[in-house]
Amino acid sequence: MLSPGLLYEEKRIEALDRHAILDTPPEREYDDVVQLAASLCGVPMALVSLVDRDRQWFKANVGLPGVSETERCISFCTFAIEREELFVVEDAREDARFATNPLVTGAPSLRFYAGAPLQSEDGFLLGTLCVLDSVPRKLTETQRRDLLALKRQVELLLRLRLKVKQTEARNQQLLESSGDAVLLLDEGGAVLELNPVAARLLGGEAGRFLGVPFETLVAPDERETVLRALREVRTHGSARVDNLGLRLHRGERVVMDVAASLQEVGSARRLLLVGHDLTERRRLERQSLQNDRLASMGALAAGIAHEINNPLAFVLSNLNFLHSWREDLERRLAELPGVPEQLQSVLGEAGEVLAESIEGCQRIRDIVRDMRFFSHSSDEAFSPVDVNASLDFALRMASPELKSTARLEKSLDEELPPVLASGGRLSQVFLNLIINAIQAMQPGGPRQHTLCVRTVREGECVRVDISDTGHGIAPEVLPRIFDPFFTTKPAGSGTGLGLSVSHALVEKMGGELRVHSELGRGTTFSLLLPQHARLAEPRPALAS
């Protein structure tokens, strides 16, 4: 446990460090004070000295050129900060504490010292404003008062510096932690700092915007609005601009609501801008409209599926009966002699027609099933599912088409926990994504294309990535790919339900389906599902 003296010293050093002043460049305000102190006290030397752990460092110095610090163990200021009142040594050679001090016996041959302790706002003595001479002397009462008055000016400068640092720290915290775009401008409106959110929204590295006038970042027809707002901030301390369009370096545009405030501490004036990106709000508004539309379409899909399902089952049953009847007839005729070849040909063609009709009806049945699922009419129960096994099943189903299109690269986490889902439905999602990926890489071949499948834990989720090297998805199309009945495939090649059904199923399981795509480089679908908590927990060890 530290003694009271050592504890105070640790706290004092912490207070000194908070000011962040050690080893900083000279500043005119401090230089003016020491010049005035030397003049008023009639001495050749004066210092603003800050006492660090093992040294004393001079923030301002007159009369000791080329000297920036000395060892603390020989410093007069160490004694001066032991008390709050003025510390005076009229003749160091006659003072037992300093008579053998190397600063007395050698250069600069000090004989006189007077130090006024500099006190922090929280009561710690950080250093001194001191005056020195190489001859003995005394201070008049007027000089004592002047020196104490000047030391209060230095204390004011230190406190002002601390407040500036605290403001800067708050601004820095805002820059680093805010989810909004934050920019710090100088008084003229040029960018001094910006946070990662602002850099991302502006579409570039933060460094490329430093020193850039803020008004040049907005759409040309809105620059006067921005300049007027900045003038208002300088005059009244705050301003607000709604729906401000910022111009990205790619030529795109992002819209924000911007609140601006004046940060003013001493002579430093900064303009702090906080911009709230309206993209998310507008996305939510669009999503709300989409949800309303999906609800209507879901009700419609449920009605259509119900109306189609019954007659479809009747037709499919009859077709299967006719197909079996034709096969039976063909077998019986084959046992009879002299059956006309034309009749055999007609029966063969009838078999092909019936097979195509059955296949078509089965396709309609699958579409109806997907429409029923899209309408959330399915009450299929979920159970723990091995994601890797479900993915392997889908890959086997797609294997014939995959082999001729792309190489397969698999990276499956063998320690993957199960998820709560329908094994069949999850395989359906995987198969939809894999078939989409294969089609995106056609025409092509294993030498040109690769399908990458990966499973991994991500926090409390299981993540599945399915990536292709196909043609990619255009940016203007990307927001619509999960819309029901939306497809970019040629007419007759798809219903537009595959991704919407997959998306709905994943959400029903409490998961998320994401997509990232680059034109000409390929697409990655990422499926995130929460781990099945009960089964994901490690089993307790058995007692021996």
Side-chain angles (χ1 to χ4, degrees), residues 138-152:
K138 295 183 178 182
L139 290 180
T140 67
E141 285 301 315
T142 300
Q143 288 171 330
R144 285 173 175 267
R145 287 196 302 270
D146 290 344
L147 190 58
L148 290 173
L150 289 175
K151 82 103 176 182
R152 287 192 290 272

Side-chain angles (χ1 to χ4, degrees), residues 53-288:
R53 194 179 299 275
D54 300 311
R55 59 171 179 158
Q56 64 171 359
W57 178 79
F58 307 141
K59 175 61 179 175
N61 175 346
V62 61
L64 290 173
V67 180
S68 61
E69 63 181 61
T70 64
E71 296 180 29
R72 179 176 176 176
C73 60
I74 62 172
S75 72
F76 284 57
C77 293
T78 296
F79 292 86
I81 63 170
E82 292 179 353
R83 56 187 60 80
E84 295 183 7
E85 65 269 15
L86 189 65
F87 178 70
V88 180
V89 178
E90 294 181 347
D91 188 347
R93 289 185 183 177
E94 300 299 324
D95 191 315
R97 295 170 295 181
F98 304 107
T100 59
N101 189 299
L103 298 176
V104 175
T105 59
S109 302
L110 295 181
R111 299 288 294 278
F112 170 77
Y113 172 92
L118 301 172
Q119 193 169 43
S120 69
E121 197 166 15
D122 48 358
F124 294 99
L125 301 178
L126 307 180
T128 69
L129 169 64
C130 57
V131 291
L132 311 97
D133 203 343
S134 56
V135 297
R137 66 168 56 247
K138 295 183 178 182
L139 290 180
T140 67
E141 285 301 315
T142 300
Q143 288 171 330
R144 285 173 175 267
R145 287 196 302 270
D146 290 344
L147 190 58
L148 290 173
L150 289 175
K151 82 103 176 182
R152 287 192 290 272
Q153 294 303 308
V154 177
E155 288 174 341
L156 183 61
L157 289 173
L158 289 172
R159 291 172 188 177
L160 184 60
R161 179 184 187 87
L162 187 59
K163 290 185 184 299
V164 170
K165 290 297 177 185
Q166 290 170 343
T167 300
E168 290 176 350
R170 284 195 294 269
N171 287 343
Q172 191 62 37
Q173 184 180 17
L174 182 60
L175 283 167
E176 293 174 356
S177 64
S178 177
D180 289 327
V182 182
L183 300 97
L184 191 65
L185 315 182
D186 63 21
E187 190 173 2
V191 178
L192 292 174
E193 294 183 69
L194 69 164
N195 70 345
V197 177
R200 176 177 57 80
L201 290 176
L202 291 171
E205 296 293 330
R208 69 184 298 270
F209 299 107
L210 300 182
V212 175
F214 179 71
E215 67 270 14
T216 64
L217 300 177
V218 306
D221 58 343
E222 298 184 73
R223 288 181 184 173
E224 185 53 41
T225 300
V226 168
L227 292 172
R228 185 166 58 250
L230 295 181
R231 289 194 295 269
E232 185 177 346
V233 174
R234 297 184 193 102
T235 305
H236 301 291
S238 64
R240 183 177 180 86
V241 181
D242 291 332
N243 295 300
L244 178 65
L246 297 184
R247 185 180 59 181
L248 308 188
H249 75 288
R250 298 185 301 270
E252 301 169 15
R253 188 172 181 267
V254 63
V255 180
M256 293 189 210
D257 285 345
V258 178
S261 61
L262 181 64
Q263 308 288 305
E264 186 171 9
V265 181
S267 60
R269 287 165 59 92
R270 300 288 185 261
L271 310 180
L272 183 68
L273 307 186
V274 180
H276 180 64
D277 181 20
L278 298 180
T279 305
E280 179 64 12
R281 188 177 80 185
R282 294 183 176 181
R283 186 193 69 79
L284 291 175
E285 290 172 351
R286 289 196 301 269
Q287 186 63 47
S288 178

